[in-house]
Amino acid sequence: MSIFQGIQYHFQVFGVSGLVLAAKSRLTNATVEAVFHPKEISHPLHLRVRSSDGTLFQQIFANHQYDLRPARRPVSIVDAGANIGLASVFYANKYPDAKIISIEPQTDNFRMLKLNTSPYPNITPVQAAIWNTNGEIYLRDPGWGNASFRAGDSNGTGHMVRALTIERLMLDHQLDYIDLLKMDIEGAEKEVFEGSEGWIERVGMIVIELHDRFKAGCSQPLFLATRDFHSELSWGELTILAREQYRPIEYPSKQPTAHWS
């Protein structure tokens, strides 16, 4: 973005203090963090200025991107591709009795995730990439910001990280069932849902950002795996699929782009 657009963006997200911090970050070429406390959550948040953190904050807390109200209150939530933990924090405030497993592979994102989720005893942070096998996987930085790291793509700058299947994650954290699976994993959903036979029957609702624009064929394995789900909704960049007993009974204030099937 241009300097003028950057000034507008940082003022809109962080206020006057954000402009000062953004200028400091630009002058020192260093990561600078802003700390502030939105009234709708219990504890302050830490965001990096001049990064995608502010955009994620706007999507989750200003636009209420994940504020769908399922008919069955979730008691187990998995946040796959948690980045700095903002969706996990949103869910922890909305569902304080839920057990939340928050998964992020990239080291600095995970550092911020731990910082943001540490006040919430019901959130367990896990540093790993969700994949269709356990072991290690290459995590690539395509150079598009903190929210764009891609597992399984070895073309370019990156490093090896721990890889986990959903089935292994459920075993490690004693989850018999996942009421709500939120997933934003930059195209790895293709491989994850191609290998979902062992766990998909134990998921009630999926909230996912699909990435066919980056990797062809991301959607097909998801829809094949969830053919027994009864409901589907497109909501901006999100696709929401739910078994009938989880079907949302209320929506955020803006209108969805499609209706339940």
Side-chain angles (χ1 to χ4, degrees), residues 106-162:
Q106 201 275 332
T107 298
D108 196 55
N109 287 344
F110 187 71
R111 175 185 66 84
M112 296 292 292
L113 183 154
K114 289 196 296 181
L115 191 61
N116 283 322
T117 62
S118 60
Y120 299 93
N122 59 328
I123 300 178
T124 301
V126 177
Q127 186 171 8
I130 291 297
W131 195 243
N132 60 358
T133 57
N134 298 301
E136 289 190 325
I137 193 72
Y138 193 83
L139 185 71
R140 183 171 78 93
D141 178 6
W144 295 350
N146 304 94
S148 301
F149 294 92
R150 297 183 189 172
D153 184 347
S154 59
N155 297 317
T157 303
H159 59 281
M160 300 299 291
V161 297
R162 183 187 181 196

Side-chain angles (χ1 to χ4, degrees):
M1 65 178 69
S2 68
I3 293 177
F4 179 71
Q5 289 173 323
I7 290 171
Q8 285 185 313
Y9 167 78
H10 285 92
F11 180 76
Q12 182 181 10
V13 177
F14 302 108
V16 175
S17 62
L19 297 178
V20 176
L21 293 173
K24 178 181 177 181
S25 176
R26 181 178 289 275
L27 288 171
T28 62
N29 197 30
T31 299
V32 176
E33 295 173 15
V35 181
F36 62 108
H37 193 170
K39 62 181 180 180
E40 63 266 37
I41 64 173
S42 303
H43 303 282
L45 287 171
H46 299 255
L47 306 182
R48 296 162 297 194
V49 300
R50 297 181 66 219
S51 79
S52 59
D53 295 359
T55 299
L56 291 174
F57 173 82
Q58 287 182 310
Q59 290 172 346
I60 294 168
F61 292 101
N63 299 335
H64 304 286
Q65 178 173 262
Y66 293 111
D67 193 16
L68 289 167
R69 299 164 177 86
R72 177 178 291 187
R73 191 175 181 86
V75 296
S76 56
I77 298 171
V78 170
D79 182 359
N83 199 261
I84 66 170
L86 299 187
S88 294
V89 168
F90 173 82
Y91 286 133
N93 281 271
K94 187 173 179 63
Y95 306 114
D97 297 324
K99 180 177 183 178
I100 302 171
I101 312 299
S102 187
I103 310 145
E104 169 59 37
Q106 201 275 332
T107 298
D108 196 55
N109 287 344
F110 187 71
R111 175 185 66 84
M112 296 292 292
L113 183 154
K114 289 196 296 181
L115 191 61
N116 283 322
T117 62
S118 60
Y120 299 93
N122 59 328
I123 300 178
T124 301
V126 177
Q127 186 171 8
I130 291 297
W131 195 243
N132 60 358
T133 57
N134 298 301
E136 289 190 325
I137 193 72
Y138 193 83
L139 185 71
R140 183 171 78 93
D141 178 6
W144 295 350
N146 304 94
S148 301
F149 294 92
R150 297 183 189 172
D153 184 347
S154 59
N155 297 317
T157 303
H159 59 281
M160 300 299 291
V161 297
R162 183 187 181 196
L164 282 178
T165 64
I166 294 287
E167 192 168 19
R168 182 70 209 186
L169 186 81
M170 294 177 74
L171 182 64
D172 288 349
H173 296 276
Q174 295 83 52
L175 295 177
D176 295 325
Y177 201 89
I178 299 173
D179 293 300
L180 174 57
L181 173 59
K182 172 262 175 183
M183 186 174 286
D184 186 356
I185 53 176
E186 299 301 310
E189 63 269 18
K190 180 178 187 295
E191 287 78 10
V192 170
F193 283 99
E194 285 175 343
S196 63
E197 296 86 359
W199 54 268
I200 193 64
E201 292 298 323
R202 294 181 285 158
V203 175
M205 184 176 183
I206 298 170
V207 180
I208 185 169
E209 182 174 340
L210 293 165
H211 296 87
D212 294 80
R213 62 193 184 277
F214 300 147
K215 182 190 290 187
C218 284
S219 300
Q220 185 177 13
L222 169 70
F223 292 123
L224 284 174
T226 58
R227 56 189 176 273
D228 293 334
F229 283 50
H230 299 291
S231 303
E232 177 191 337
L233 173 72
S234 296
W235 186 273
E237 294 182 334
L238 298 180
T239 298
I240 300 101
L241 301 111
R243 300 187 186 277
E244 192 63 31
Q245 62 268 37
Y246 290 87
R247 179 171 171 161
I249 56 175
E250 293 183 59
Y251 310 106
S253 56
K254 66 178 183 178
Q255 292 298 309
T257 57
H259 296 288
W260 286 101
S261 59

